[in-house]
Amino acid sequence: MANFVGRLLVVGLLLGAVSSLSLTPAAGQISWGRGKEKKPMLPNPYTFTVPRDTLLESIKQVLSDRELIIDEKLSAEKPGRLVTQPVIFTRGALTSGSNLEFIARRPGGRNFTWVRGRYALELEALPLDPQRTRLTVYARIEGEYQTETGGVWVECPSRGVKENEILEAIIKHLNGES
């Protein structure tokens, strides 16, 4: 009987400790994004008040800083257009799905187990006049899933996240920010 009372006392103390912890506000809680302001997306196309050659040099520098390689063959096809080689930005079945769905939508509502994700950028600079240039950024995003015969890449419609990232970086570069 004493053993039962001892156990009951321990359980009561544990329940009391747990309930007091849940009522006390914790200063170091993980917020999981709560309280963050969501910045609005930049307009795409975006008009810059710089000549096209200046803008293209800034774009090349930003792409280089981000270790994005320009595909010289595709970029040479049209003046004012820069195309990057595809970059794998996520790997693994556990994280690829959520990482991919953050920047792209599921194609046609299909539900794959993604194993990798990649993207390539296309930037087109159109001169409006000698001092203004309109830049349009396109992101080609693809997810890979495995079949019995190997991996299959599927194009996924962009949510505009990568396009907005590169536009913000170009604006910061032109403003002298790092």
Side-chain angles (χ1 to χ4, degrees):
M1 186 70 166
N3 194 14
F4 176 73
V5 172
R7 286 185 182 167
L8 189 59
L9 183 60
V10 169
V11 169
L13 288 172
L14 287 173
L15 286 174
V18 169
S19 66
S20 69
L21 286 176
S22 65
L23 297 175
T24 316
Q29 284 183 331
I30 299 172
S31 68
W32 302 109
R34 283 180 284 156
K36 286 185 181 179
E37 289 184 33
K38 191 171 183 179
K39 290 180 7 184
M41 298 282 248
L42 293 169
N44 188 11
Y46 189 91
T47 302
F48 290 89
T49 54
V50 295
R52 181 168 79 170
D53 292 340
T54 305
L55 180 60
L56 288 173
E57 287 305 314
S58 291
I59 292 169
K60 289 176 183 176
Q61 184 61 50
V62 168
L63 295 177
S64 174
D65 291 348
R66 293 174 169 253
E67 298 179 2
L68 295 170
I69 300 167
I70 296 173
D71 186 321
E72 298 296 338
K73 182 180 176 190
L74 291 175
S75 298
E77 293 176 2
K78 185 176 176 186
R81 182 176 104 169
L82 296 172
V83 181
T84 67
Q85 294 177 357
V87 174
I88 293 179
F89 69 94
T90 186
R91 298 174 196 268
L94 293 177
T95 58
S96 292
S98 60
N99 290 343
L100 191 61
E101 289 178 18
F102 178 72
I103 67 167
R105 292 176 182 81
R106 288 182 187 268
R110 297 188 210 158
N111 194 9
F112 298 118
T113 300
W114 303 108
V115 293
R116 290 195 296 176
R118 69 182 178 190
Y119 71 93
L121 297 174
E122 180 179 339
L123 300 98
E124 283 190 284
L126 175 69
L128 299 176
D129 58 43
Q131 293 302 313
R132 291 185 314 140
T133 307
R134 178 171 291 147
L135 178 66
T136 307
V137 182
Y138 305 97
R140 180 185 169 103
I141 302 166
E142 297 175 310
E144 181 187 30
Y145 68 94
Q146 292 293 316
T147 66
E148 299 81 30
T149 58
V152 176
W153 288 99
V154 177
E155 190 165 348
C156 304
S158 176
R159 293 184 187 273
V161 173
K162 287 295 177 188
E163 295 92 327
N164 199 63
E165 274 180 18
I166 204 74
L167 280 171
E168 285 179 348
I170 294 166
I171 291 169
K172 284 181 179 181
H173 184 268
L174 287 170
N175 289 334
E177 301 172 34
S178 54

